[in-house]
Amino acid sequence: MMIVMKPTATEQEVEAVIERVESVGARAHVVDGSELKVIGAIGDREHIARIDLEGAPGVDRMVPILKPYKLASSQFRDGRRTVLEIAGRKLGGEHFAMIAGPCTVESREQLLQTAHAVGDAGAAMLRGGAYKPRTSPYAFHGLGQEGLRLLADAKQETGLPIVTELMDLRDLDDVLEVADVIQIGARNMQNYTLLTEIGRSGRPALLKRGLSATLEELLMAAEYILKEGNDAVILCERGIRTFEPAYRFTLDLTAVPVLQELSHLPVVVDPSHAAGRRDLVGPLSLAAAAAGADGIIVEVHPNPDAAICDGPQALVADEFAQYAERVHAAAAVGGKLLSEYQSVANPIG
Amino acid sequence: MMIVMKPTATEQEVEAVIERVESVGARAHVVDGSELKVIGAIGDREHIARIDLEGAPGVDRMVPILKPYKLASSQFRDGRRTVLEIAGRKLGGEHFAMIAGPCTVESREQLLQTAHAVGDAGAAMLRGGAYKPRTSPYAFHGLGQEGLRLLADAKQETGLPIVTELMDLRDLDDVLEVADVIQIGARNMQNYTLLTEIGRSGRPALLKRGLSATLEELLMAAEYILKEGNDAVILCERGIRTFEPAYRFTLDLTAVPVLQELSHLPVVVDPSHAAGRRDLVGPLSLAAAAAGADGIIVEVHPNPDAAICDGPQALVADEFAQYAERVHAAAAVGGKLLSEYQSVANPIG
Amino acid sequence: MMIVMKPTATEQEVEAVIERVESVGARAHVVDGSELKVIGAIGDREHIARIDLEGAPGVDRMVPILKPYKLASSQFRDGRRTVLEIAGRKLGGEHFAMIAGPCTVESREQLLQTAHAVGDAGAAMLRGGAYKPRTSPYAFHGLGQEGLRLLADAKQETGLPIVTELMDLRDLDDVLEVADVIQIGARNMQNYTLLTEIGRSGRPALLKRGLSATLEELLMAAEYILKEGNDAVILCERGIRTFEPAYRFTLDLTAVPVLQELSHLPVVVDPSHAAGRRDLVGPLSLAAAAAGADGIIVEVHPNPDAAICDGPQALVADEFAQYAERVHAAAAVGGKLLSEYQSVANPIG
Amino acid sequence: MMIVMKPTATEQEVEAVIERVESVGARAHVVDGSELKVIGAIGDREHIARIDLEGAPGVDRMVPILKPYKLASSQFRDGRRTVLEIAGRKLGGEHFAMIAGPCTVESREQLLQTAHAVGDAGAAMLRGGAYKPRTSPYAFHGLGQEGLRLLADAKQETGLPIVTELMDLRDLDDVLEVADVIQIGARNMQNYTLLTEIGRSGRPALLKRGLSATLEELLMAAEYILKEGNDAVILCERGIRTFEPAYRFTLDLTAVPVLQELSHLPVVVDPSHAAGRRDLVGPLSLAAAAAGADGIIVEVHPNPDAAICDGPQALVADEFAQYAERVHAAAAVGGKLLSEYQSVANPIG
C-alpha cells in the first residue's frame, strides 16, 4: 500500500500515518519527493488490509499495490493455467469448450432436441435454466424441480454434462443432484452467502460477471468460492452496462486476455445476453473465440419464435452445427488446439 | 407496447407481428408512416408482457409504453405519496427523516454514544450493521447476533427505531426481533429470494439502488416486496458507478425528483458510501435535502479514526448536531415541513 | 510517479526501469516490499512526464502521484480561491452568481424580455447563444452575427454582462466584441486549438465539462487556457453520460466540492442541459446551490412552448423571480454570503 | 415520432399535442390504449424534427421512430455497402484493410523503417501523426509540417497511401497535400466546423468514435461530412469510457456488426488506443477481425521503448508480419475475401 500525502500535509500528519501503519504490524517506508511525500506500507496482506487511511488528515489517497485476491491470482499457481475436466470435457489452457442449450428448460422435447443438436455439433456441455432470475416479479421463473428432472434425463440420454443456475440456497441439494457445473448469475455475483455455500459444495462453478463489476470484484467473488476449498471456478464475461443504448449490454472482450493475465482460472464468454439479438451472436462469438476465450456459453432453441423467454437471442438448433464450426475455427486462430474440433467439424476448409 | 418495423419489412413480416400480438390476447393497431410502419399492441399489462418480438424478422425494435411496475407506480395511489410512520417517526410526503449511526456495530459503548448523539440532534432512526457485506472474504463481516443484541439495547435506551441490514435469509428471524426497518444492500437489490421473503415478513424495508441499476430496475425490485403485501418500502439512492475515478461512486441526485414522480414511495439518500470521505458528506447531504429527498441515511462514529470499517467516511458524533441543523435547513428549502426540526434545532438561525 | 513492478519482475527488468527513470533526469527510489518492488521516480514534473513505462517488461502499472495540472491546482494559489469580477459582478469564493437567459437568441423581443426578467430577479449575467452546436446537421444553428448584435443591445439596455458560446475560431473577433465571458461547450472541451486561442484572447472563459470527461481532464483543459496567461476560467458541471436512460445526463454534484478542493477556480452548475425537463431544473438548482456551487447557469424563455430549441427545459421568465429566490436561499445554506441576495430577494422568509 | 401521453393527461393536453403536431405540417394519429394514449406524428423527417414536446404538459416522453441520419443509413444505399478504393487499396464490403504505422512521426528513419515493415506484411495504408492532440498542454504535440514532409517521402518510397490526423483547420491545406485519408480524432468527433470543412475538401475521412459517443451520434457526425457531398467516410471504433479501471478504454466490438447494419459505411477498429498495452493489441485485433471489421488501424514502431509517445502500445515492427498473418486469418473467419491476403501471407496453414 502506498499512502500519498497532500502537498500541504504537516510533519505531524506524516507522523500519524507512520504510526497507524506500524500499529497494524506493517513497516512504513517514506519516499520524500520534491513536492510531496509518499509512505509505503510493507507487510503481510492481512496487516496491510487493516490500514484504512483514505480521507485521514493530510492523506491525499491510498494506492493499493498488492492485488486483494490471492487464490484467484496467476501468482498462486506460478503462471500455470487451471484446466478443468468435467465429465471428460476439458476447459482452460489449450482447451476450448462450447456450452450450449436453451435459456430455460420448457419441455422434454425442446430440451432433448436441443441437446442432441448441440452435442452432435461438438458442444462440450449442455446449459439450461430450471430457475430463472427475472427483473419482473410477474415474469416466468422457470419449471423448477421439473426442469431439473428434464436436465437429468437429457444428461443420461446424451452424456453431456449439465450447467444450470442456482439462485436460492434452499434449492442447493436439488441442483447438486443434476448440475455438473453450478451457474451463478450476474445479479448474484456478490451474493456472498450463495458464493460461500457453493464453495463448500465443492461443485464446479460458473461465475458470471456482474453488470457493473470490475474485474477485480469478479476475482474477489471467485475468491469467496476458492477459499472454501473449491478450486473449480469458471469466470464468465457476459456484457457490462454502459451509456450505449443500441444494445442491451456492451460485451467487454478486453476482459478475456486481462483476466487470463491476472488469474489462472478459465474465462468463458456469453454472447447471447450481451447482444439480446440472434444476428449479433455469431460475430460476437467469433470475436470472443479469436480473443482467446476458453469457451463460449450460448443459447440455442429448436424454435426460438415459440420460446418462453429470450427467444430472439437464441440460435436456431438446426443452424447450430454451422455456427459451431465457425466458432471453432476462430478459437483455432485464437490459439486453441485445433485437433479437438476436427473430430466433430472441419473448421477451416 | 409499440413495435417499430424496419423500413425494409415485408407485408408478411407485418402480418406475422400482428398475428403474434393477437395470439396473446392483445389488439394490434397499425400506424402507417410515410417511411415505416409502427404496430401498437393494446391490452392488459400481462398480455403485453408476453409479446417478445425484439429481433424478430422485420422488427426494428420494441418500445414499451406502459411502465413494467404497477404497485410501485404513482398512478397506483393516484398521485398521493406514501407516508410511513415508524415508531412514531414520519417519513415521506412533507416529512423529512434523518437516519444516522455507525457503519458497523462495534461495541456497546460505541453504539450508545452514537445513538445518544444522533438522537439528541433530531435523528429519527438509528442505523447500524450487525451483518456487513464485504467485497473481500478476508474482511470483517460484523458482530452478527451480538451486534443485534446491542442494537436492541440501544433501542430500549434511546427509543430510536432501528435500521439494520439483512444479507442471509437464515438470519431473518433474528433480524426481525430488533429491526424496525430492514435494509437491503445495493449488491442484493436483485436478490429476488431475499426481496420476496422480506416482503412476506411485512417489516418496512429500505431498499438500496444497485451500483448500476436503472430507476426502473429499482422500482421493479421494490415491486417484488410490494407484491407480497408489504407496502412499506423506502427507496435509497447511494451512488452509481460511472467512469469518474475521483470518487468511489457518483451520487445521482436527479434520481430523487424522478423517483418521486414515478413512484409514491419515499426516497432517501445515502451520501456516506457515495463519497467515501467525510468532507464530502456535508455538501452532498445538503444537496440531497435541498433536492427534496425524504431523508438522509448517514454514518456517524464517536471516533472514526478507530472505526473497524469505513471510518474515513463517518461523521464525528460530536459534530453531528451542527451537521443535522444545516441539513434540516436544506430540507426546509427543499420543501419539507420546517416546524418538525425547530423543536430540535434552529435551522436558519 | 510510482512504478509498481510485477511480482515476477526480474532483477534486470528492475534495473532497466531504474535506468529509464534516471535517463530523464529523475531520481529512482526503490521500495522493496515482501512480495514486490515499487520504484518511486522523483524529480520535476516535466522530467517525470517523460517516463512512459506503462506496459514495459516487468512493469505492472504506473501510479501518477503529482497532479498533471499546475496552474489550475489549489496549491498554485496556496489555497486561496479565485474570485472573478465581471462588469462588477463577483463569482467565486463567498460570491454566488446566477447566469440566466435563453438557450438561443431568437429575436430582440424574446431576448430583452428575458434579460429584464432575470436581471430584475438578481441574475448576475445574461446568457444566450448566437452559435449553437447541434448533433444534427439539419437542425437550427443559431442567428450568428445577428444574434451577437441582439446580445450587444441587451447588454446596453440592462447592463448585464454577456455569456455566449464560441464554436468556430473564425468567429472569435465577432464574439469578442460582445462577450464578457466566452462559453466553451462540452463537445469542445478538448478542442485544443479553441482553448489555446481563447486563452490568448484574455477574455474570461466558462468551460463546460465534456460528457465523459474526468475532473482531471477538465482541469487539464482549463490548464490549456491558463497557460496562455488567461487566469479567468470558470469550470462548469453540466451532467455526465451514464447508463441511466431516465434522464438525458446525470448531473454530478460531487464534482462541485471535489473541484473546489482540487482547484482554485470557480465552479458553476448547468442544471438545464442535464435535466432536459423544466420540472427537474428547480430541484437540481437547489441541490447545486446547497452543495456549494459558485453559480448556476440556467435557461429561461418568455414562452418556452414557442422556443426554437430546448424549450421544454427552459424556465418560464415570469416564474424566474420565485425560482431565483429559492436558489439564493439554498446558496446561503451552502455557505455563500446571504447579504448579496437580500437586496433582490428575501431568501428564507 | 410517437408521443406517449401520461396516464393522467387531460383531453385538452391531448388536443394541444395534436395541434402542435399539425402546426409543423405533420399528421397526428391517436392510438388509444386501455391505460394511456400514444400519438403518432407522421410526415417528413424535417417536419417531425421540429416537434419538440419533451416535457410538455401531459407528455410522458417522445419516442423517435425514424433514425435522425439519412445519408449514412443503410437504406440510403438500399443495403449495398460502400467499398472505398484508395490508391488502389479496397476497404469495405468483402475487403479487409490493415492500416499501420507509428503513433507519431519522429524521424525519417523511424518512419521509413516502419513503412517498409508494414507494407511488406500486407498493410494497405500507412498511418502516422504529424499533429497530435494531447490531454496535457505540456506534452509533445507532433513535428507538424516537418512530419507531413516525412509522410510524403514515405508515400513516394513505398507507394502506401497515407492516413494522418487534422486537428486545426488552419493546417487543412498542408494536410491535403499528403493525406489520402484525413483522420478525425475521438475528441473532435463533434467538432462540427472541422467535420464540415473536411466534408467540403472531398478527401476520404476516417472518423473516430468519441469516448462516450453513441453509435447514433457517430453516424450523425458522419452525416455532417456526407452532407457536404463527401461520401468517403470510414467509421472507427476505438474504445469507449466505462467504469472498468483495468484498461484505458473498453473496446466495444458489438459496434462493428451494429454499425454495419445501421450504415453502409466501412467500419475499422483501433485496438492500440483502447488497450494501451502491446500484449492486448494482438487478442483485440483478432477479435475485431473475426467480428467482421472492415479493417484494423494499429500502431507500429521499430523500437517502441524509445518512442516519443505511446510506445508501450506500439507493436514492434519486426514482429508485424507474424501479427498481420494472424489478423488476416481472423478476417477470413470473419467473412472477408481470403484470396487478397494469400499473396502476402498464408493465413491458416
Side-chain angles (χ1 to χ4, degrees):
Chain A
M1 182 68 72
M2 308 301 296
I3 299 136
V4 182
M5 303 302 294
K6 291 183 180 166
T8 55
T10 64
E11 206 49 51
Q12 285 95 316
E13 287 168 347
V14 172
E15 283 305 315
V17 165
I18 292 172
E19 215 167 285
R20 175 86 181 187
V21 167
E22 291 175 346
S23 75
V24 300
R27 270 184 308 125
H29 184 117
V30 180
V31 182
D32 203 342
S34 51
E35 302 190 34
L36 47 70
K37 283 196 172 64
V38 175
I39 298 163
I42 297 168
D44 288 351
R45 193 184 306 260
E46 282 70 26
H47 292 152
I48 300 300
R50 286 160 50 197
I51 306 173
D52 190 359
L53 287 159
E54 197 78 61
V59 171
D60 184 68
R61 64 208 154 98
M62 310 274 289
V63 181
I65 299 299
L66 281 180
K67 309 290 186 207
Y69 44 87
K70 180 175 169 182
L71 308 174
S73 74
S74 295
Q75 290 95 290
F76 185 69
R77 286 178 50 88
D78 296 323
R80 279 170 295 120
R81 303 208 56 69
T82 286
V83 178
L84 298 179
E85 187 161 347
I86 294 161
R89 275 72 173 184
K90 285 186 179 167
L91 173 71
E94 293 177 312
H95 309 280
F96 180 86
M98 182 85 78
I99 305 169
C103 171
T104 191
V105 176
E106 298 171 12
S107 70
R108 186 180 169 78
E109 195 191 349
Q110 170 242 22
L111 183 61
L112 284 178
Q113 206 175 331
T114 309
H116 282 297
V118 305
D120 291 351
M125 305 185 212
L126 177 65
R127 59 150 291 153
Y131 302 99
K132 300 298 301 175
R134 300 303 293 271
T135 307
S136 167
Y138 307 118
F140 176 68
H141 285 74
L143 289 182
Q145 290 184 327
E146 170 63 13
L148 293 176
R149 270 190 294 275
L150 293 173
L151 285 167
D153 289 355
K155 181 176 175 174
Q156 188 157 23
E157 199 168 312
T158 63
L160 288 169
I162 300 297
V163 181
T164 197
E165 178 161 357
L166 175 68
M167 290 171 58
D168 187 333
L169 276 183
R170 293 171 295 196
D171 302 317
L172 177 59
D173 288 341
D174 291 341
V175 167
L176 282 173
E177 292 205 8
V178 60
D180 296 278
V181 176
I182 301 180
Q183 179 175 316
I184 300 160
R187 287 165 186 78
N188 275 322
M189 192 199 86
Q190 293 186 313
N191 181 335
Y192 300 123
T193 311
L194 195 65
L195 297 174
T196 299
E197 294 303 324
I198 290 174
R200 285 181 186 158
S201 79
R203 194 61 50 89
L206 188 149
L207 177 63
K208 291 201 169 181
R209 180 183 184 186
L211 280 62
S212 67
T214 62
L215 299 191
E216 188 167 297
E217 288 169 336
L218 173 59
L219 292 169
M220 288 304 277
E223 192 89 0
Y224 265 90
I225 301 171
L226 295 167
K227 84 168 200 309
E228 302 298 332
N230 183 346
D231 57 5
V233 178
I234 303 164
L235 306 171
C236 180
E237 160 62 30
R238 46 78 72 209
I240 57 172
R241 198 147 253 180
T242 71
F243 61 83
E244 176 58 61
Y247 13 93
R248 247 203 293 176
F249 298 100
T250 300
L251 194 66
D252 173 13
L253 290 177
T254 314
V256 173
V258 174
L259 283 172
Q260 288 172 339
E261 186 205 5
L262 297 174
S263 174
H264 54 86
L265 297 170
V267 180
V268 305
V269 172
D270 171 353
S272 306
H273 285 88
R277 285 167 41 189
R278 188 176 310 127
D279 60 336
L280 298 179
V281 171
L284 292 179
S285 299
L286 296 178
D294 296 302
I296 300 278
I297 177 164
V298 69
E299 299 193 351
V300 184
H301 195 284
N303 180 12
D305 288 350
I308 292 179
C309 83
D310 283 344
Q313 77 195 30
L315 297 175
V316 183
D318 280 353
E319 300 165 7
F320 185 75
Q322 199 182 348
Y323 159 86
E325 191 176 340
R326 289 187 74 195
V327 174
H328 284 136
V333 170
K336 296 293 178 183
L337 274 183
L338 194 59
S339 62
E340 300 201 347
Y341 327 122
Q342 282 179 329
S343 55
V344 294
N346 180 10
I348 300 300
Chain B
M1 180 70 72
M2 308 302 295
I3 299 137
V4 182
M5 302 303 294
K6 291 182 179 166
T8 54
T10 64
E11 206 48 52
Q12 286 95 316
E13 287 167 346
V14 171
E15 283 304 317
V17 166
I18 292 172
E19 213 167 287
R20 174 87 182 186
V21 167
E22 292 174 346
S23 76
V24 300
R27 271 186 306 126
H29 185 116
V30 180
V31 182
D32 204 342
S34 52
E35 303 190 34
L36 46 71
K37 283 196 172 63
V38 175
I39 298 163
I42 297 168
D44 289 350
R45 193 184 305 261
E46 283 69 25
H47 293 153
I48 300 300
R50 284 160 51 198
I51 305 173
D52 191 0
L53 286 160
E54 197 77 61
V59 171
D60 184 68
R61 63 209 153 97
M62 311 275 288
V63 181
I65 299 299
L66 281 180
K67 309 291 184 207
Y69 44 86
K70 181 176 170 182
L71 308 174
S73 73
S74 295
Q75 291 95 290
F76 186 69
R77 286 175 52 87
D78 295 324
R80 279 171 296 120
R81 302 210 57 70
T82 286
V83 178
L84 299 179
E85 186 160 349
I86 294 161
R89 274 72 173 185
K90 284 188 179 166
L91 173 71
E94 293 177 312
H95 309 279
F96 180 86
M98 182 85 79
I99 304 169
C103 171
T104 191
V105 176
E106 298 171 12
S107 70
R108 186 180 170 77
E109 194 191 349
Q110 170 243 21
L111 183 61
L112 284 178
Q113 204 174 333
T114 309
H116 282 298
V118 305
D120 291 351
M125 304 185 212
L126 176 67
R127 57 149 292 154
Y131 302 98
K132 300 297 301 174
R134 300 302 294 271
T135 308
S136 167
Y138 307 117
F140 176 68
H141 285 73
L143 289 182
Q145 292 185 326
E146 170 64 12
L148 293 177
R149 268 190 294 273
L150 294 173
L151 286 167
D153 289 355
K155 182 176 175 174
Q156 188 156 22
E157 200 169 312
T158 63
L160 288 169
I162 300 297
V163 180
T164 197
E165 179 161 356
L166 174 69
M167 291 170 57
D168 188 333
L169 277 182
R170 294 172 294 196
D171 302 317
L172 177 58
D173 289 341
D174 291 341
V175 167
L176 283 173
E177 292 205 7
V178 60
D180 296 277
V181 177
I182 301 180
Q183 178 175 316
I184 300 161
R187 287 165 187 77
N188 274 323
M189 191 199 86
Q190 292 185 314
N191 182 334
Y192 300 123
T193 311
L194 195 66
L195 297 173
T196 300
E197 294 302 324
I198 290 174
R200 285 179 187 160
S201 79
R203 194 62 51 88
L206 187 150
L207 177 63
K208 291 201 168 181
R209 181 183 183 186
L211 280 62
S212 67
T214 61
L215 299 191
E216 188 167 297
E217 289 169 335
L218 173 59
L219 291 170
M220 288 303 278
E223 192 88 359
Y224 265 92
I225 300 170
L226 296 166
K227 84 168 199 310
E228 301 299 332
N230 183 347
D231 56 6
V233 178
I234 304 164
L235 305 171
C236 180
E237 158 63 30
R238 45 77 73 207
I240 58 172
R241 198 148 254 178
T242 72
F243 61 83
E244 177 59 62
Y247 13 93
R248 247 202 291 177
F249 298 100
T250 300
L251 194 66
D252 173 14
L253 290 177
T254 314
V256 174
V258 174
L259 283 172
Q260 288 173 340
E261 185 205 7
L262 297 173
S263 175
H264 54 85
L265 297 169
V267 180
V268 304
V269 172
D270 171 354
S272 305
H273 285 88
R277 285 167 41 190
R278 188 175 310 126
D279 59 337
L280 299 179
V281 171
L284 293 179
S285 299
L286 296 177
D294 296 302
I296 299 278
I297 177 165
V298 68
E299 298 193 352
V300 184
H301 195 283
N303 180 12
D305 289 350
I308 292 179
C309 83
D310 283 344
Q313 78 195 30
L315 297 175
V316 183
D318 282 352
E319 300 164 8
F320 186 76
Q322 198 181 352
Y323 159 87
E325 190 175 340
R326 291 188 73 196
V327 175
H328 283 136
V333 171
K336 296 294 178 182
L337 274 185
L338 194 58
S339 63
E340 300 201 346
Y341 327 122
Q342 283 178 328
S343 55
V344 296
N346 178 11
I348 300 300
Chain C
M1 180 69 71
M2 309 301 297
I3 300 135
V4 181
M5 303 302 294
K6 290 182 180 167
T8 55
T10 63
E11 206 49 52
Q12 284 96 316
E13 287 168 347
V14 172
E15 283 303 316
V17 166
I18 292 172
E19 214 166 283
R20 175 86 181 189
V21 167
E22 292 175 345
S23 76
V24 300
R27 272 184 306 124
H29 185 116
V30 180
V31 181
D32 204 342
S34 51
E35 302 191 34
L36 46 70
K37 283 195 171 63
V38 176
I39 298 163
I42 296 168
D44 289 350
R45 193 184 306 260
E46 283 70 24
H47 293 153
I48 300 300
R50 286 160 52 198
I51 305 173
D52 191 359
L53 286 159
E54 196 77 61
V59 171
D60 184 68
R61 65 208 153 97
M62 310 275 289
V63 181
I65 299 299
L66 281 180
K67 308 291 186 208
Y69 44 87
K70 180 176 169 183
L71 308 174
S73 73
S74 295
Q75 291 95 292
F76 185 70
R77 287 177 50 88
D78 296 323
R80 279 170 296 121
R81 302 209 56 70
T82 286
V83 177
L84 298 179
E85 185 161 348
I86 294 161
R89 273 73 173 185
K90 285 187 178 165
L91 173 70
E94 291 177 312
H95 309 279
F96 181 85
M98 182 85 79
I99 305 169
C103 171
T104 191
V105 176
E106 297 171 13
S107 71
R108 187 180 169 77
E109 195 191 347
Q110 170 242 20
L111 184 61
L112 284 178
Q113 206 174 331
T114 309
H116 282 298
V118 305
D120 292 350
M125 305 186 211
L126 177 65
R127 59 150 293 156
Y131 302 99
K132 299 298 302 175
R134 301 301 295 270
T135 307
S136 167
Y138 307 117
F140 177 68
H141 285 73
L143 290 182
Q145 292 185 325
E146 170 63 11
L148 293 177
R149 270 190 295 274
L150 294 173
L151 285 167
D153 289 355
K155 182 175 174 174
Q156 190 156 21
E157 202 170 309
T158 62
L160 289 169
I162 300 296
V163 180
T164 197
E165 178 161 356
L166 175 68
M167 290 172 58
D168 188 333
L169 276 183
R170 293 172 295 195
D171 302 317
L172 177 58
D173 288 341
D174 291 341
V175 167
L176 283 173
E177 291 204 10
V178 61
D180 295 278
V181 176
I182 301 180
Q183 179 175 317
I184 300 161
R187 287 165 186 78
N188 274 322
M189 191 199 87
Q190 293 185 313
N191 182 335
Y192 301 123
T193 311
L194 195 66
L195 297 174
T196 299
E197 295 303 324
I198 290 174
R200 284 179 187 159
S201 79
R203 193 63 48 88
L206 187 150
L207 177 63
K208 290 201 170 179
R209 181 183 184 186
L211 280 62
S212 67
T214 62
L215 299 190
E216 188 166 298
E217 287 169 337
L218 173 59
L219 291 169
M220 289 303 277
E223 192 89 359
Y224 265 91
I225 300 170
L226 296 167
K227 83 167 201 309
E228 301 299 331
N230 183 346
D231 57 5
V233 179
I234 303 163
L235 306 171
C236 181
E237 160 62 30
R238 44 77 73 210
I240 58 172
R241 198 146 254 180
T242 72
F243 61 84
E244 177 57 61
Y247 12 92
R248 246 203 293 177
F249 297 101
T250 301
L251 195 66
D252 173 13
L253 290 177
T254 314
V256 173
V258 173
L259 283 171
Q260 288 173 339
E261 185 205 6
L262 296 173
S263 174
H264 54 86
L265 297 170
V267 180
V268 304
V269 172
D270 171 353
S272 305
H273 286 87
R277 285 167 42 187
R278 188 174 311 125
D279 60 337
L280 298 179
V281 171
L284 292 179
S285 299
L286 296 178
D294 297 302
I296 298 279
I297 177 165
V298 69
E299 300 194 350
V300 184
H301 195 284
N303 181 10
D305 288 349
I308 292 179
C309 82
D310 283 345
Q313 77 194 32
L315 297 175
V316 184
D318 281 352
E319 299 164 8
F320 185 76
Q322 198 182 351
Y323 160 86
E325 190 176 340
R326 290 187 73 196
V327 174
H328 283 137
V333 170
K336 296 293 178 182
L337 274 184
L338 194 59
S339 63
E340 301 201 346
Y341 326 122
Q342 283 178 328
S343 55
V344 293
N346 179 9
I348 299 301
Chain D
M1 180 70 72
M2 309 301 295
I3 299 136
V4 181
M5 302 304 293
K6 290 182 180 168
T8 55
T10 64
E11 206 49 52
Q12 285 96 316
E13 287 167 347
V14 172
E15 283 304 316
V17 165
I18 292 172
E19 214 167 285
R20 175 86 182 186
V21 167
E22 291 174 346
S23 75
V24 301
R27 270 185 307 125
H29 185 117
V30 180
V31 182
D32 204 343
S34 51
E35 303 190 32
L36 46 70
K37 283 196 172 63
V38 175
I39 297 163
I42 297 168
D44 288 351
R45 193 184 306 262
E46 284 69 25
H47 293 152
I48 300 300
R50 284 160 52 199
I51 305 173
D52 191 358
L53 286 160
E54 196 78 61
V59 171
D60 183 68
R61 64 208 154 98
M62 310 275 288
V63 181
I65 299 300
L66 281 180
K67 308 291 185 207
Y69 45 86
K70 180 175 169 183
L71 308 173
S73 74
S74 295
Q75 291 94 293
F76 185 69
R77 287 178 50 87
D78 296 324
R80 279 170 295 121
R81 304 210 55 70
T82 286
V83 178
L84 299 179
E85 185 159 349
I86 294 161
R89 273 73 173 186
K90 286 187 177 164
L91 173 70
E94 292 177 313
H95 309 280
F96 181 86
M98 182 85 79
I99 304 169
C103 171
T104 191
V105 176
E106 297 171 12
S107 71
R108 186 180 170 79
E109 195 191 348
Q110 170 242 23
L111 184 61
L112 284 177
Q113 206 174 330
T114 309
H116 283 296
V118 305
D120 292 351
M125 304 186 212
L126 177 67
R127 58 151 291 156
Y131 302 99
K132 300 297 301 174
R134 302 301 295 270
T135 307
S136 167
Y138 307 117
F140 176 69
H141 285 73
L143 289 182
Q145 291 184 327
E146 170 64 13
L148 292 177
R149 270 191 294 274
L150 294 173
L151 285 167
D153 290 355
K155 182 175 174 173
Q156 189 156 23
E157 201 170 311
T158 62
L160 289 169
I162 300 296
V163 181
T164 198
E165 178 161 357
L166 175 68
M167 290 171 58
D168 187 333
L169 277 183
R170 294 172 294 196
D171 302 317
L172 177 59
D173 289 341
D174 291 342
V175 166
L176 282 173
E177 291 205 9
V178 60
D180 296 278
V181 176
I182 301 180
Q183 179 175 317
I184 299 160
R187 287 165 186 76
N188 275 321
M189 191 199 87
Q190 292 185 315
N191 182 334
Y192 301 122
T193 311
L194 194 68
L195 296 174
T196 299
E197 294 303 325
I198 290 174
R200 285 179 187 160
S201 79
R203 195 62 50 88
L206 187 150
L207 177 63
K208 290 201 169 182
R209 180 183 185 186
L211 280 62
S212 67
T214 62
L215 299 190
E216 188 167 297
E217 288 169 337
L218 173 59
L219 292 169
M220 288 303 278
E223 192 89 359
Y224 265 91
I225 300 170
L226 296 166
K227 85 168 199 309
E228 301 299 331
N230 182 346
D231 58 5
V233 179
I234 304 163
L235 305 171
C236 180
E237 160 62 30
R238 45 77 73 208
I240 57 172
R241 199 147 252 179
T242 72
F243 61 83
E244 177 57 62
Y247 14 93
R248 245 200 296 175
F249 298 101
T250 301
L251 195 65
D252 173 13
L253 290 177
T254 314
V256 174
V258 173
L259 283 172
Q260 288 172 340
E261 185 205 6
L262 296 174
S263 175
H264 55 85
L265 297 170
V267 181
V268 304
V269 172
D270 171 355
S272 305
H273 285 87
R277 286 167 41 190
R278 188 175 310 127
D279 60 337
L280 298 179
V281 171
L284 292 179
S285 300
L286 296 178
D294 296 302
I296 299 279
I297 178 164
V298 68
E299 299 194 351
V300 185
H301 195 284
N303 180 13
D305 288 350
I308 292 178
C309 82
D310 283 344
Q313 78 195 30
L315 297 175
V316 183
D318 281 353
E319 299 165 7
F320 185 76
Q322 198 181 349
Y323 159 86
E325 191 175 339
R326 290 187 74 195
V327 174
H328 283 137
V333 171
K336 296 294 178 182
L337 272 185
L338 194 58
S339 62
E340 300 201 345
Y341 327 122
Q342 282 179 329
S343 55
V344 294
N346 180 11
I348 300 299

